[in-house]
């Protein structure tokens, strides 16, 4: 909740300060509108679903395998674009997607602590993530071209959707049982992570706005590889030769 609310409040506060001091001429004045909230709501639902399934995947698998499972969104994007918009893809891209799927299969086969539940959550996160990036491109082109406003409304909607998901999943008991961990330091870390997520989200919006959802996911492969090896090093996760070959592939 706080992780989504903090960037929304920061953007709203800066828009009012900027209106008085004219710090950044290109930054819009954000006036909260119910119409805009509702128009961005479908995008926010996909975003929350992607975040939820990504966290559930990470809960059930190792960090190294989590990055492999999340990379499956790349071959899904050309397929979704073809089914929804009739966009055709070149043979080279199709061949590249085949290589990615092969690497994904090898990564699963080479995983020591394999979890079917975690794998399915990762697959679901990849599918929803593919739909999210495609819809995000559509929103930036046709619904709300200003990336700052879209970021604000997406985070604002998410700050209401996520608590609802917590209630529906019966996780209020988990919060109650771990209330001793809800210290000021914890909330400060969550707040800072929300601000970091704001800038990560803006770079995502910029890349998708000026390129495509597929280009964004392809560039994220390098990030996934780096995070995979960093996670394996930090948490001492053993990567098999087959799993390593799947990651590199």
């Amino acid at each position: 909740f706080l992780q989504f609310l903090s960037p929304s409040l920061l953007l709203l506060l800066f828009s009012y300060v900027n209106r008085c001091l004219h710090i950044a001429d290109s930054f819009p004045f954000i006036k909260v509108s119910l119409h805009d909230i509702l128009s961005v709501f479908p995008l926010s639902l996909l975003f929350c679903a992607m975040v939820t399934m990504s966290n559930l995947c990470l809960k059930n698998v190792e960090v190294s395998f989590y990055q492999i499972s999340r990379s499956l969104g790349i071959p899904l994007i050309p397929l979704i674009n073809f089914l929804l918009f009739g966009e055709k893809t070149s043979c080279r891209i199709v061949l590249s997607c085949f290589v990615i799927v092969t690497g994904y299969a090898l990564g699963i086969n080479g995983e020591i602590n394999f979890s079917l539940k975690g794998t399915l959550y990762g697959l679901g996160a990849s599918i929803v993530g593919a739909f999210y990036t495609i819809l995000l491109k559509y929103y930036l082109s046709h619904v709300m071209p200003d990336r700052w406003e879209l970021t604000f409304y997406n985070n604002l909607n998410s700050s209401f959707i996520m608590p609802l998901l917590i209630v529906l999943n019966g996780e209020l008991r988990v919060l109650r049982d771990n209330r001793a961990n809800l210290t000021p330091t914890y909330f400060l870390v969550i707040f800072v992570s929300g601000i970091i997520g704001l800038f990560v989200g803006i770079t995502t919006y910029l890349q998708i706005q000026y390129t495509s959802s597929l280009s964004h996911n392809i560039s994220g492969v390098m990030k996934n590889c780096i995070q995979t090896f960093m996670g394996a090093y930090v948490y001492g996760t053993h990567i098999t030769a087959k799993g390593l070959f799947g990651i590199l592939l």
Side-chain angles (χ1 to χ4, degrees):
F1 168 74
L2 184 61
Q3 203 167 19
F4 296 121
L5 186 62
S6 56
S8 299
L9 294 176
L10 180 64
L11 288 173
L12 186 62
L13 176 64
F14 184 77
S15 72
Y16 278 92
V17 172
N18 185 62
R19 189 183 188 187
C20 300
L21 302 179
H22 304 287
I23 300 172
D25 294 334
S26 60
F27 195 89
F29 174 69
I30 300 175
K31 187 176 181 180
V32 181
S33 165
L34 180 60
H35 174 268
D36 290 335
I37 290 175
L38 295 177
S39 64
V40 180
F41 198 77
L43 182 70
S44 302
L45 283 175
L46 284 176
F47 177 68
C48 290
M50 178 182 67
V51 171
T52 300
M53 283 191 281
S54 295
N55 289 339
L56 290 172
C57 173
L58 188 58
K59 179 182 178 181
N60 290 277
V61 301
E62 302 288 350
V63 176
S64 57
F65 181 69
Y66 165 76
Q67 301 300 336
I68 299 173
S69 63
R70 291 290 286 110
S71 299
L72 193 60
I74 296 175
L76 292 174
I77 290 176
L79 177 62
I80 295 172
N81 276 328
F82 175 75
L83 294 176
L84 295 182
F85 307 109
E87 295 182 7
K88 295 183 178 180
T89 306
S90 67
C91 294
R92 290 184 177 181
I93 294 179
V94 173
L95 182 61
S96 301
C97 292
F98 176 75
V99 173
I100 293 172
V101 172
T102 304
Y104 177 76
L106 288 174
I108 291 177
N109 197 24
E111 176 67 12
I112 297 176
N113 301 316
F114 176 76
S115 168
L116 179 60
K117 182 187 293 187
T119 302
L120 292 177
Y121 279 132
L123 178 61
S126 296
I127 295 173
V128 175
F131 276 103
Y132 171 73
T133 53
I134 291 171
L135 190 61
L136 180 59
K137 175 69 175 180
Y138 174 81
Y139 267 74
L140 289 169
S141 301
H142 301 95
V143 179
M144 193 173 291
D146 192 279
R147 57 189 176 275
W148 295 107
E149 279 193 281
L150 186 57
T151 301
F152 169 77
Y153 284 110
N154 194 24
N155 280 280
L156 182 65
N157 286 339
S158 300
S159 65
F160 293 106
I161 295 173
M162 291 304 291
L164 181 60
L165 291 176
I166 291 174
V167 174
L168 293 177
N169 288 329
E171 294 187 2
L172 287 177
R173 180 180 57 82
V174 178
L175 290 175
R176 186 173 61 252
D177 294 342
N178 294 275
R179 58 184 178 273
N181 297 324
L182 303 179
T183 62
T185 303
Y186 170 81
F187 286 107
L188 178 62
V189 171
I190 294 297
F191 180 83
V192 172
S193 66
I195 301 303
I196 295 173
L198 168 64
F199 292 105
V200 172
I202 287 297
T203 57
T204 299
Y205 287 18
L206 278 170
Q207 189 175 41
I208 292 177
Q209 187 174 24
Y210 290 107
T211 57
S212 67
S213 54
L214 181 60
S215 298
H216 164 69
N217 280 271
I218 290 175
S219 65
V221 170
M222 179 57 70
K223 179 201 72 173
N224 289 342
C225 291
I226 295 174
Q227 287 179 331
T228 296
F229 292 118
M230 287 182 63
Y233 175 77
V234 172
Y235 295 103
T237 304
H238 177 68
I239 301 178
T240 64
K242 189 179 292 185
L244 177 63
F245 183 70
I247 295 170
L248 295 177
L249 189 60

